[in-house]
Structure formats: C-alpha cells, structure tokens
Amino acid sequence: MKAVVVICGGRSAEHEVSIMSAKTVVTELARKGFPVQLVGIDLRGRTMTPEELTNHFPDLPKGVEVPSCVSWITHLCDLSPESTVIFPVLHGPYGEDGTIQGFFELLRIPYVGSGVGASAVGMNKIYTKRLLISEGIPVLPFTTL
C-alpha cells in the first residue's frame, strides 16, 4: 500500500480552509488504514514545524506521521514515486492553479486530482467558460471585466 503525503495550508487566502479540509482527508485516510504523512505550508510558503501542525491538528489520528523536515520541497524531492502518492489539499493560487501539480509532474510522483492543464484552466473562470462554449456546452451569459 502506498503512503499518502497530505499537503495543506499554503500561501493563498484560503489557507485556513485548506487546513480544515485536510483534517477530514487525514482522518479518513488513517481510518482506512493508509500510512499518512502530513506536511504543512505556512502563509509565507515555508514548511510548518511539527509543533505548528499539531496546533492546527490537535486530534491527529494514530499512525499519522508529521515529518520534521527543513523544507517541504526537499521532503517531496526525497519521496519515492513507487511507494508514495501525494494528496494536495491546497486551495486557491499555488494549490489549485496547476503550479504545484507541475512540481509533482517534474518529480514524477503520482498525485490526486486534476493535472496541470485542467487545474490552470479550471482556476481561470473566463478560460473555463470559453472552453466550454467552444465545445458546445451551455454556459450562462457572462461579462468579462
């Protein structure tokens, strides 16, 4: 069974929402018996310390590892693609816009969710609407400001 690395927090205004979402993801993965590592990114883009993470996650399920790493980037670079999958629970820019997905692609580590292109297009609502229209999918009228 592959280990699941859950990444949460991030630099966006949705930082706290990401942490709340990650609580559910981590709890369910642990309940289903997956080995889980929890990695947090603070609002500056730096790695959360284990102490910072446990402040956000006071009731971490048994078996969830909070690695003490100097850099979340270095930690991800050291993961084995054969035995790991990344579950990004990052909302907004730098999480849902294709940027982090591109990093996972460079590392050749499998991850949960949409790829780079779909994430980038989905984050830009105007591009999404134009793409849907070009494929004949009905879209409500809109105005670009």
Side-chain angles (χ1 to χ4, degrees):
M1 179 179 298
K2 287 191 174 201
V4 181
V5 177
V6 175
I7 302 176
C8 67
R11 293 175 40 199
S12 83
E14 298 179 59
H15 177 88
E16 291 300 322
V17 175
S18 166
I19 290 172
M20 291 185 332
S21 298
K23 288 178 184 179
T24 302
V25 171
V26 166
T27 300
E28 287 304 309
L29 287 169
R31 189 176 70 76
K32 299 220 184 239
F34 286 93
V36 178
Q37 285 186 5
L38 179 61
V39 175
I41 302 171
D42 70 16
L43 285 165
R44 298 172 297 167
R46 297 186 178 135
T47 308
M48 286 187 190
T49 65
E51 294 78 25
E52 289 172 313
L53 272 174
T54 51
N55 285 339
H56 286 292
F57 295 83
D59 300 321
L60 268 180
K62 285 186 179 182
V64 175
E65 179 189 350
V66 179
S68 57
C69 47
V70 175
S71 164
W72 64 269
I73 294 170
T74 302
H75 182 71
L76 296 184
C77 288
D78 290 340
L79 295 174
S80 165
E82 293 79 30
S83 61
T84 309
V85 63
I86 299 175
F87 196 130
V89 188
L90 298 165
H91 299 302
Y94 314 110
E96 290 179 301
D97 62 356
T99 53
I100 196 84
Q101 292 82 358
F103 182 56
F104 302 151
E105 295 278 341
L106 285 170
L107 297 176
R108 295 189 173 145
I109 296 178
Y111 57 93
V112 174
S114 299
V116 177
S119 296
V121 170
M123 189 74 174
N124 186 312
K125 304 312 179 226
I126 301 304
Y127 289 154
T128 300
K129 288 176 184 273
R130 289 180 179 158
L131 179 64
L132 293 172
I133 290 167
S134 74
E135 294 298 318
I137 298 170
V139 173
L140 291 172
F142 65 97
T143 301
T144 303
L145 303 176

